[in-house]
Amino acid sequence: MDKRDINLTKYDISPKRYRELYYFCLQYEEMKEKLNSIYSLQSTRLDNNIQSSSTLDLTQKKALAAEKLSREVELIEQTAIAADNEIYQYLLMNVTNQVPYTFLRYDLGMPCGEKYFYKARRKFFYLLDMYK
């Protein structure tokens, strides 16, 4: 990991727990892609050998996977909103895609300073630790 860890010990979050939360957030786009692929229409070739119970099992597995992925995606999004309603979309870009502060501020026009942003980011991980 070439990125410096955030020190969240004052929030009782260990460096290892922070990394767990950090890597969970980095899976956000992957989760959304998997969720979209579950919801996309797929044709299934029906053979005489396929029993209806196996089709139901597959459908049930997909439904359970979709429910889990949907909860995880929503958890990340709602945590960003709870951390700061005004800049949550920028927080999401940072914690899920590693978009740096300088790009968010100067290229995308994020309406806050560095200290404010990093305080909101620490709050995001604090809340995510509580919710997860």
mmCIF file of all heavy atoms in Angstrom, residues 31-74:
data_model
loop_
_atom_site.group_PDB
_atom_site.id
_atom_site.type_symbol
_atom_site.label_atom_id
_atom_site.label_comp_id
_atom_site.label_asym_id
_atom_site.label_seq_id
_atom_site.Cartn_x
_atom_site.Cartn_y
_atom_site.Cartn_z
ATOM 1 N N MET A 31 -18.646 -3.806 -6.613
ATOM 2 C CA MET A 31 -19.952 -4.199 -6.087
ATOM 3 C C MET A 31 -21.075 -3.718 -7.003
ATOM 4 O O MET A 31 -22.016 -4.453 -7.295
ATOM 5 C CB MET A 31 -20.168 -3.616 -4.684
ATOM 6 C CG MET A 31 -19.334 -4.209 -3.594
ATOM 7 S SD MET A 31 -19.747 -3.366 -2.036
ATOM 8 C CE MET A 31 -18.143 -3.200 -1.293
ATOM 9 N N LYS A 32 -20.956 -2.459 -7.442
ATOM 10 C CA LYS A 32 -21.988 -1.908 -8.323
ATOM 11 C C LYS A 32 -22.034 -2.650 -9.656
ATOM 12 O O LYS A 32 -23.118 -2.907 -10.190
ATOM 13 C CB LYS A 32 -21.745 -0.417 -8.535
ATOM 14 C CG LYS A 32 -22.114 0.405 -7.318
ATOM 15 C CD LYS A 32 -21.796 1.866 -7.459
ATOM 16 C CE LYS A 32 -22.513 2.495 -8.620
ATOM 17 N NZ LYS A 32 -22.299 3.944 -8.710
ATOM 18 N N GLU A 33 -20.874 -2.999 -10.197
ATOM 19 C CA GLU A 33 -20.829 -3.762 -11.450
ATOM 20 C C GLU A 33 -21.464 -5.134 -11.281
ATOM 21 O O GLU A 33 -22.232 -5.578 -12.138
ATOM 22 C CB GLU A 33 -19.388 -3.908 -11.932
ATOM 23 C CG GLU A 33 -18.783 -2.647 -12.486
ATOM 24 C CD GLU A 33 -17.301 -2.791 -12.814
ATOM 25 O OE1 GLU A 33 -16.810 -3.937 -12.897
ATOM 26 O OE2 GLU A 33 -16.638 -1.749 -12.958
ATOM 27 N N LYS A 34 -21.141 -5.819 -10.199
ATOM 28 C CA LYS A 34 -21.730 -7.139 -9.940
ATOM 29 C C LYS A 34 -23.240 -7.034 -9.776
ATOM 30 O O LYS A 34 -23.991 -7.870 -10.281
ATOM 31 C CB LYS A 34 -21.123 -7.778 -8.691
ATOM 32 C CG LYS A 34 -19.737 -8.322 -8.891
ATOM 33 C CD LYS A 34 -19.221 -8.952 -7.604
ATOM 34 C CE LYS A 34 -17.816 -9.472 -7.750
ATOM 35 N NZ LYS A 34 -17.303 -10.052 -6.499
ATOM 36 N N LEU A 35 -23.680 -6.003 -9.083
ATOM 37 C CA LEU A 35 -25.105 -5.794 -8.883
ATOM 38 C C LEU A 35 -25.810 -5.561 -10.215
ATOM 39 O O LEU A 35 -26.865 -6.137 -10.478
ATOM 40 C CB LEU A 35 -25.317 -4.613 -7.935
ATOM 41 C CG LEU A 35 -26.700 -4.376 -7.371
ATOM 42 C CD1 LEU A 35 -27.218 -5.608 -6.637
ATOM 43 C CD2 LEU A 35 -26.678 -3.178 -6.439
ATOM 44 N N ASN A 36 -25.210 -4.742 -11.066
ATOM 45 C CA ASN A 36 -25.781 -4.498 -12.397
ATOM 46 C C ASN A 36 -25.820 -5.766 -13.230
ATOM 47 O O ASN A 36 -26.774 -5.998 -13.968
ATOM 48 C CB ASN A 36 -25.002 -3.404 -13.128
ATOM 49 C CG ASN A 36 -25.304 -2.030 -12.578
ATOM 50 O OD1 ASN A 36 -26.360 -1.799 -12.011
ATOM 51 N ND2 ASN A 36 -24.364 -1.121 -12.729
ATOM 52 N N SER A 37 -24.792 -6.579 -13.133
ATOM 53 C CA SER A 37 -24.773 -7.812 -13.917
ATOM 54 C C SER A 37 -25.829 -8.802 -13.421
ATOM 55 O O SER A 37 -26.402 -9.547 -14.205
ATOM 56 C CB SER A 37 -23.390 -8.458 -13.921
ATOM 57 O OG SER A 37 -23.105 -9.052 -12.679
ATOM 58 N N ILE A 38 -26.113 -8.789 -12.130
ATOM 59 C CA ILE A 38 -27.168 -9.656 -11.597
ATOM 60 C C ILE A 38 -28.524 -9.206 -12.121
ATOM 61 O O ILE A 38 -29.361 -10.028 -12.491
ATOM 62 C CB ILE A 38 -27.159 -9.666 -10.049
ATOM 63 C CG1 ILE A 38 -25.933 -10.424 -9.546
ATOM 64 C CG2 ILE A 38 -28.438 -10.288 -9.490
ATOM 65 C CD1 ILE A 38 -25.713 -10.334 -8.044
ATOM 66 N N TYR A 39 -28.718 -7.889 -12.179
ATOM 67 C CA TYR A 39 -30.002 -7.351 -12.624
ATOM 68 C C TYR A 39 -30.175 -7.356 -14.136
ATOM 69 O O TYR A 39 -31.281 -7.220 -14.627
ATOM 70 C CB TYR A 39 -30.216 -5.938 -12.092
ATOM 71 C CG TYR A 39 -30.500 -5.893 -10.607
ATOM 72 C CD1 TYR A 39 -29.941 -4.916 -9.801
ATOM 73 C CD2 TYR A 39 -31.325 -6.838 -10.002
ATOM 74 C CE1 TYR A 39 -30.201 -4.866 -8.441
ATOM 75 C CE2 TYR A 39 -31.584 -6.806 -8.649
ATOM 76 C CZ TYR A 39 -31.032 -5.809 -7.878
ATOM 77 O OH TYR A 39 -31.286 -5.766 -6.530
ATOM 78 N N SER A 40 -29.083 -7.499 -14.870
ATOM 79 C CA SER A 40 -29.206 -7.491 -16.332
ATOM 80 C C SER A 40 -29.872 -8.781 -16.796
ATOM 81 O O SER A 40 -29.768 -9.831 -16.167
ATOM 82 C CB SER A 40 -27.835 -7.333 -16.993
ATOM 83 O OG SER A 40 -27.063 -8.481 -16.786
ATOM 84 N N LEU A 41 -30.547 -8.679 -17.902
ATOM 85 C CA LEU A 41 -31.239 -9.845 -18.438
ATOM 86 C C LEU A 41 -30.238 -10.807 -19.033
ATOM 87 O O LEU A 41 -29.369 -10.428 -19.799
ATOM 88 C CB LEU A 41 -32.238 -9.414 -19.521
ATOM 89 C CG LEU A 41 -33.411 -8.585 -19.049
ATOM 90 C CD1 LEU A 41 -34.257 -8.161 -20.237
ATOM 91 C CD2 LEU A 41 -34.253 -9.367 -18.059
ATOM 92 N N GLN A 42 -30.386 -12.048 -18.656
ATOM 93 C CA GLN A 42 -29.523 -13.087 -19.195
ATOM 94 C C GLN A 42 -30.411 -14.233 -19.650
ATOM 95 O O GLN A 42 -31.338 -14.632 -18.951
ATOM 96 C CB GLN A 42 -28.542 -13.597 -18.141
ATOM 97 C CG GLN A 42 -27.583 -12.542 -17.664
ATOM 98 C CD GLN A 42 -26.716 -13.052 -16.514
ATOM 99 O OE1 GLN A 42 -26.966 -14.095 -15.952
ATOM 100 N NE2 GLN A 42 -25.700 -12.281 -16.179
ATOM 101 N N SER A 43 -30.119 -14.723 -20.820
ATOM 102 C CA SER A 43 -30.900 -15.860 -21.288
ATOM 103 C C SER A 43 -30.267 -17.141 -20.754
ATOM 104 O O SER A 43 -29.061 -17.260 -20.651
ATOM 105 C CB SER A 43 -30.953 -15.894 -22.806
ATOM 106 O OG SER A 43 -29.660 -16.074 -23.325
ATOM 107 N N THR A 44 -31.104 -18.048 -20.399
ATOM 108 C CA THR A 44 -30.642 -19.334 -19.891
ATOM 109 C C THR A 44 -31.086 -20.411 -20.863
ATOM 110 O O THR A 44 -32.239 -20.465 -21.258
ATOM 111 C CB THR A 44 -31.249 -19.625 -18.506
ATOM 112 O OG1 THR A 44 -30.933 -18.547 -17.643
ATOM 113 C CG2 THR A 44 -30.730 -20.914 -17.931
ATOM 114 N N ARG A 45 -30.155 -21.237 -21.241
ATOM 115 C CA ARG A 45 -30.465 -22.342 -22.139
ATOM 116 C C ARG A 45 -31.112 -23.445 -21.310
ATOM 117 O O ARG A 45 -30.537 -23.922 -20.341
ATOM 118 C CB ARG A 45 -29.191 -22.860 -22.800
ATOM 119 C CG ARG A 45 -29.472 -23.882 -23.855
ATOM 120 C CD ARG A 45 -28.187 -24.267 -24.565
ATOM 121 N NE ARG A 45 -28.352 -25.648 -24.953
ATOM 122 C CZ ARG A 45 -27.517 -26.618 -24.698
ATOM 123 N NH1 ARG A 45 -26.399 -26.365 -24.073
ATOM 124 N NH2 ARG A 45 -27.758 -27.841 -25.074
ATOM 125 N N LEU A 46 -32.299 -23.796 -21.686
ATOM 126 C CA LEU A 46 -33.007 -24.829 -20.950
ATOM 127 C C LEU A 46 -32.811 -26.172 -21.625
ATOM 128 O O LEU A 46 -33.102 -26.352 -22.796
ATOM 129 C CB LEU A 46 -34.503 -24.506 -20.874
ATOM 130 C CG LEU A 46 -34.865 -23.242 -20.098
ATOM 131 C CD1 LEU A 46 -36.360 -22.987 -20.168
ATOM 132 C CD2 LEU A 46 -34.435 -23.376 -18.649
ATOM 133 N N ASP A 47 -32.306 -27.090 -20.882
ATOM 134 C CA ASP A 47 -32.142 -28.464 -21.347
ATOM 135 C C ASP A 47 -33.166 -29.334 -20.628
ATOM 136 O O ASP A 47 -33.677 -28.973 -19.575
ATOM 137 C CB ASP A 47 -30.740 -28.999 -21.034
ATOM 138 C CG ASP A 47 -29.665 -28.332 -21.882
ATOM 139 O OD1 ASP A 47 -30.006 -27.827 -22.955
ATOM 140 O OD2 ASP A 47 -28.500 -28.330 -21.434
ATOM 141 N N ASN A 48 -33.397 -30.463 -21.169
ATOM 142 C CA ASN A 48 -34.285 -31.409 -20.505
ATOM 143 C C ASN A 48 -33.683 -31.901 -19.199
ATOM 144 O O ASN A 48 -34.392 -32.339 -18.313
ATOM 145 C CB ASN A 48 -34.579 -32.603 -21.425
ATOM 146 C CG ASN A 48 -35.425 -32.195 -22.609
ATOM 147 O OD1 ASN A 48 -36.118 -31.185 -22.555
ATOM 148 N ND2 ASN A 48 -35.375 -32.976 -23.678
ATOM 149 N N ASN A 49 -32.362 -31.828 -19.082
ATOM 150 C CA ASN A 49 -31.676 -32.323 -17.892
ATOM 151 C C ASN A 49 -31.783 -31.365 -16.704
ATOM 152 O O ASN A 49 -31.549 -31.752 -15.572
ATOM 153 C CB ASN A 49 -30.201 -32.569 -18.183
ATOM 154 C CG ASN A 49 -30.006 -33.636 -19.235
ATOM 155 O OD1 ASN A 49 -30.884 -34.457 -19.463
ATOM 156 N ND2 ASN A 49 -28.857 -33.612 -19.880
ATOM 157 N N ILE A 50 -32.066 -30.108 -16.967
ATOM 158 C CA ILE A 50 -32.131 -29.111 -15.902
ATOM 159 C C ILE A 50 -33.460 -29.252 -15.177
ATOM 160 O O ILE A 50 -34.512 -29.233 -15.790
ATOM 161 C CB ILE A 50 -31.977 -27.675 -16.446
ATOM 162 C CG1 ILE A 50 -30.604 -27.500 -17.076
ATOM 163 C CG2 ILE A 50 -32.207 -26.663 -15.346
ATOM 164 C CD1 ILE A 50 -30.385 -26.142 -17.665
ATOM 165 N N GLN A 51 -33.395 -29.379 -13.884
ATOM 166 C CA GLN A 51 -34.607 -29.483 -13.087
ATOM 167 C C GLN A 51 -34.987 -28.098 -12.599
ATOM 168 O O GLN A 51 -34.136 -27.226 -12.425
ATOM 169 C CB GLN A 51 -34.377 -30.413 -11.900
ATOM 170 C CG GLN A 51 -34.056 -31.830 -12.313
ATOM 171 C CD GLN A 51 -33.721 -32.686 -11.102
ATOM 172 O OE1 GLN A 51 -33.584 -32.195 -10.001
ATOM 173 N NE2 GLN A 51 -33.613 -33.979 -11.345
ATOM 174 N N SER A 52 -36.245 -27.895 -12.360
ATOM 175 C CA SER A 52 -36.713 -26.576 -11.935
ATOM 176 C C SER A 52 -36.097 -26.154 -10.604
ATOM 177 O O SER A 52 -35.879 -24.983 -10.371
ATOM 178 C CB SER A 52 -38.234 -26.547 -11.856
ATOM 179 O OG SER A 52 -38.689 -27.466 -10.880
ATOM 180 N N SER A 53 -35.785 -27.104 -9.732
ATOM 181 C CA SER A 53 -35.199 -26.743 -8.438
ATOM 182 C C SER A 53 -33.816 -26.114 -8.606
ATOM 183 O O SER A 53 -33.451 -25.217 -7.865
ATOM 184 C CB SER A 53 -35.125 -27.945 -7.513
ATOM 185 O OG SER A 53 -34.255 -28.914 -8.040
ATOM 186 N N SER A 54 -33.033 -26.583 -9.591
ATOM 187 C CA SER A 54 -31.717 -25.989 -9.792
ATOM 188 C C SER A 54 -31.847 -24.571 -10.323
ATOM 189 O O SER A 54 -31.039 -23.701 -10.002
ATOM 190 C CB SER A 54 -30.857 -26.842 -10.721
ATOM 191 O OG SER A 54 -31.406 -26.876 -12.018
ATOM 192 N N THR A 55 -32.871 -24.312 -11.136
ATOM 193 C CA THR A 55 -33.120 -22.952 -11.626
ATOM 194 C C THR A 55 -33.529 -22.056 -10.459
ATOM 195 O O THR A 55 -33.076 -20.928 -10.352
ATOM 196 C CB THR A 55 -34.215 -22.953 -12.715
ATOM 197 O OG1 THR A 55 -33.823 -23.837 -13.747
ATOM 198 C CG2 THR A 55 -34.413 -21.571 -13.283
ATOM 199 N N LEU A 56 -34.357 -22.579 -9.581
ATOM 200 C CA LEU A 56 -34.762 -21.813 -8.403
ATOM 201 C C LEU A 56 -33.574 -21.553 -7.494
ATOM 202 O O LEU A 56 -33.446 -20.468 -6.937
ATOM 203 C CB LEU A 56 -35.862 -22.542 -7.639
ATOM 204 C CG LEU A 56 -37.236 -22.566 -8.283
ATOM 205 C CD1 LEU A 56 -38.197 -23.401 -7.457
ATOM 206 C CD2 LEU A 56 -37.776 -21.169 -8.467
ATOM 207 N N ASP A 57 -32.705 -22.543 -7.330
ATOM 208 C CA ASP A 57 -31.518 -22.347 -6.502
ATOM 209 C C ASP A 57 -30.644 -21.237 -7.069
ATOM 210 O O ASP A 57 -30.141 -20.403 -6.332
ATOM 211 C CB ASP A 57 -30.699 -23.634 -6.403
ATOM 212 C CG ASP A 57 -31.383 -24.699 -5.561
ATOM 213 O OD1 ASP A 57 -32.317 -24.352 -4.814
ATOM 214 O OD2 ASP A 57 -30.977 -25.868 -5.663
ATOM 215 N N LEU A 58 -30.463 -21.217 -8.366
ATOM 216 C CA LEU A 58 -29.657 -20.177 -9.013
ATOM 217 C C LEU A 58 -30.311 -18.812 -8.829
ATOM 218 O O LEU A 58 -29.641 -17.835 -8.500
ATOM 219 C CB LEU A 58 -29.481 -20.496 -10.504
ATOM 220 C CG LEU A 58 -28.673 -19.492 -11.312
ATOM 221 C CD1 LEU A 58 -27.256 -19.374 -10.767
ATOM 222 C CD2 LEU A 58 -28.649 -19.894 -12.770
ATOM 223 N N THR A 59 -31.607 -18.757 -9.014
ATOM 224 C CA THR A 59 -32.346 -17.496 -8.835
ATOM 225 C C THR A 59 -32.250 -17.031 -7.387
ATOM 226 O O THR A 59 -32.036 -15.849 -7.120
ATOM 227 C CB THR A 59 -33.821 -17.682 -9.240
ATOM 228 O OG1 THR A 59 -33.864 -18.132 -10.589
ATOM 229 C CG2 THR A 59 -34.598 -16.393 -9.110
ATOM 230 N N GLN A 60 -32.375 -17.962 -6.474
ATOM 231 C CA GLN A 60 -32.281 -17.621 -5.057
ATOM 232 C C GLN A 60 -30.883 -17.121 -4.706
ATOM 233 O O GLN A 60 -30.733 -16.140 -3.980
ATOM 234 C CB GLN A 60 -32.637 -18.833 -4.207
ATOM 235 C CG GLN A 60 -32.713 -18.549 -2.734
ATOM 236 C CD GLN A 60 -33.094 -19.779 -1.936
ATOM 237 O OE1 GLN A 60 -32.838 -20.908 -2.351
ATOM 238 N NE2 GLN A 60 -33.702 -19.565 -0.781
ATOM 239 N N LYS A 61 -29.860 -17.763 -5.226
ATOM 240 C CA LYS A 61 -28.479 -17.331 -4.978
ATOM 241 C C LYS A 61 -28.244 -15.929 -5.518
ATOM 242 O O LYS A 61 -27.606 -15.095 -4.878
ATOM 243 C CB LYS A 61 -27.490 -18.307 -5.604
ATOM 244 C CG LYS A 61 -27.350 -19.602 -4.850
ATOM 245 C CD LYS A 61 -26.368 -20.537 -5.529
ATOM 246 C CE LYS A 61 -26.309 -21.880 -4.830
ATOM 247 N NZ LYS A 61 -25.421 -22.825 -5.503
ATOM 248 N N LYS A 62 -28.770 -15.674 -6.726
ATOM 249 C CA LYS A 62 -28.617 -14.338 -7.309
ATOM 250 C C LYS A 62 -29.345 -13.289 -6.484
ATOM 251 O O LYS A 62 -28.835 -12.187 -6.279
ATOM 252 C CB LYS A 62 -29.120 -14.326 -8.755
ATOM 253 C CG LYS A 62 -28.174 -14.948 -9.738
ATOM 254 C CD LYS A 62 -28.666 -14.741 -11.148
ATOM 255 C CE LYS A 62 -27.610 -15.173 -12.140
ATOM 256 N NZ LYS A 62 -27.962 -14.791 -13.504
ATOM 257 N N ALA A 63 -30.534 -13.628 -6.015
ATOM 258 C CA ALA A 63 -31.303 -12.688 -5.206
ATOM 259 C C ALA A 63 -30.582 -12.374 -3.899
ATOM 260 O O ALA A 63 -30.518 -11.211 -3.476
ATOM 261 C CB ALA A 63 -32.695 -13.242 -4.928
ATOM 262 N N LEU A 64 -30.026 -13.387 -3.266
ATOM 263 C CA LEU A 64 -29.288 -13.170 -2.020
ATOM 264 C C LEU A 64 -28.023 -12.348 -2.260
ATOM 265 O O LEU A 64 -27.684 -11.460 -1.467
ATOM 266 C CB LEU A 64 -28.942 -14.509 -1.369
ATOM 267 C CG LEU A 64 -30.126 -15.299 -0.800
ATOM 268 C CD1 LEU A 64 -29.677 -16.690 -0.347
ATOM 269 C CD2 LEU A 64 -30.781 -14.549 0.346
ATOM 270 N N ALA A 65 -27.325 -12.640 -3.355
ATOM 271 C CA ALA A 65 -26.122 -11.875 -3.691
ATOM 272 C C ALA A 65 -26.483 -10.422 -3.980
ATOM 273 O O ALA A 65 -25.788 -9.499 -3.529
ATOM 274 C CB ALA A 65 -25.415 -12.497 -4.889
ATOM 275 N N ALA A 66 -27.580 -10.215 -4.709
ATOM 276 C CA ALA A 66 -28.013 -8.852 -5.033
ATOM 277 C C ALA A 66 -28.386 -8.089 -3.770
ATOM 278 O O ALA A 66 -28.044 -6.909 -3.620
ATOM 279 C CB ALA A 66 -29.194 -8.887 -6.003
ATOM 280 N N GLU A 67 -29.046 -8.756 -2.842
ATOM 281 C CA GLU A 67 -29.435 -8.115 -1.592
ATOM 282 C C GLU A 67 -28.200 -7.698 -0.790
ATOM 283 O O GLU A 67 -28.123 -6.579 -0.279
ATOM 284 C CB GLU A 67 -30.304 -9.069 -0.768
ATOM 285 C CG GLU A 67 -30.778 -8.481 0.540
ATOM 286 C CD GLU A 67 -31.577 -9.461 1.373
ATOM 287 O OE1 GLU A 67 -31.961 -10.528 0.863
ATOM 288 O OE2 GLU A 67 -31.793 -9.155 2.555
ATOM 289 N N LYS A 68 -27.231 -8.585 -0.702
ATOM 290 C CA LYS A 68 -25.994 -8.288 0.043
ATOM 291 C C LYS A 68 -25.234 -7.133 -0.605
ATOM 292 O O LYS A 68 -24.812 -6.192 0.071
ATOM 293 C CB LYS A 68 -25.116 -9.533 0.104
ATOM 294 C CG LYS A 68 -23.808 -9.331 0.853
ATOM 295 C CD LYS A 68 -22.978 -10.607 0.856
ATOM 296 C CE LYS A 68 -21.722 -10.450 1.675
ATOM 297 N NZ LYS A 68 -20.577 -10.048 0.904
ATOM 298 N N LEU A 69 -25.067 -7.203 -1.911
ATOM 299 C CA LEU A 69 -24.345 -6.142 -2.623
ATOM 300 C C LEU A 69 -25.072 -4.808 -2.499
ATOM 301 O O LEU A 69 -24.441 -3.772 -2.290
ATOM 302 C CB LEU A 69 -24.169 -6.510 -4.098
ATOM 303 C CG LEU A 69 -23.181 -7.635 -4.386
ATOM 304 C CD1 LEU A 69 -23.329 -8.109 -5.823
ATOM 305 C CD2 LEU A 69 -21.756 -7.174 -4.130
ATOM 306 N N SER A 70 -26.364 -4.845 -2.616
ATOM 307 C CA SER A 70 -27.162 -3.627 -2.508
ATOM 308 C C SER A 70 -27.010 -2.992 -1.124
ATOM 309 O O SER A 70 -26.856 -1.770 -1.006
ATOM 310 C CB SER A 70 -28.627 -3.960 -2.782
ATOM 311 O OG SER A 70 -29.403 -2.808 -2.779
ATOM 312 N N ARG A 71 -27.019 -3.818 -0.082
ATOM 313 C CA ARG A 71 -26.820 -3.313 1.291
ATOM 314 C C ARG A 71 -25.441 -2.683 1.448
ATOM 315 O O ARG A 71 -25.299 -1.632 2.072
ATOM 316 C CB ARG A 71 -26.980 -4.442 2.309
ATOM 317 C CG ARG A 71 -28.386 -4.744 2.725
ATOM 318 C CD ARG A 71 -28.463 -5.632 3.976
ATOM 319 N NE ARG A 71 -27.448 -6.664 4.056
ATOM 320 C CZ ARG A 71 -27.609 -7.924 3.682
ATOM 321 N NH1 ARG A 71 -28.740 -8.317 3.162
ATOM 322 N NH2 ARG A 71 -26.626 -8.802 3.820
ATOM 323 N N GLU A 72 -24.421 -3.323 0.887
ATOM 324 C CA GLU A 72 -23.054 -2.807 1.032
ATOM 325 C C GLU A 72 -22.864 -1.495 0.275
ATOM 326 O O GLU A 72 -22.241 -0.568 0.784
ATOM 327 C CB GLU A 72 -22.053 -3.859 0.572
ATOM 328 C CG GLU A 72 -21.984 -5.043 1.529
ATOM 329 C CD GLU A 72 -21.077 -6.163 1.062
ATOM 330 O OE1 GLU A 72 -20.763 -6.234 -0.142
ATOM 331 O OE2 GLU A 72 -20.681 -6.980 1.914
ATOM 332 N N VAL A 73 -23.398 -1.419 -0.941
ATOM 333 C CA VAL A 73 -23.311 -0.185 -1.725
ATOM 334 C C VAL A 73 -24.037 0.937 -0.996
ATOM 335 O O VAL A 73 -23.522 2.054 -0.846
ATOM 336 C CB VAL A 73 -23.890 -0.393 -3.149
ATOM 337 C CG1 VAL A 73 -24.152 0.926 -3.845
ATOM 338 C CG2 VAL A 73 -22.959 -1.266 -3.980
ATOM 339 N N GLU A 74 -25.233 0.637 -0.505
ATOM 340 C CA GLU A 74 -26.003 1.649 0.213
ATOM 341 C C GLU A 74 -25.316 2.070 1.506
ATOM 342 O O GLU A 74 -25.350 3.240 1.884
ATOM 343 C CB GLU A 74 -27.413 1.138 0.508
ATOM 344 C CG GLU A 74 -28.295 2.221 1.071
ATOM 345 C CD GLU A 74 -29.762 1.858 1.075
ATOM 346 O OE1 GLU A 74 -30.191 1.005 0.295
ATOM 347 O OE2 GLU A 74 -30.476 2.463 1.895
#
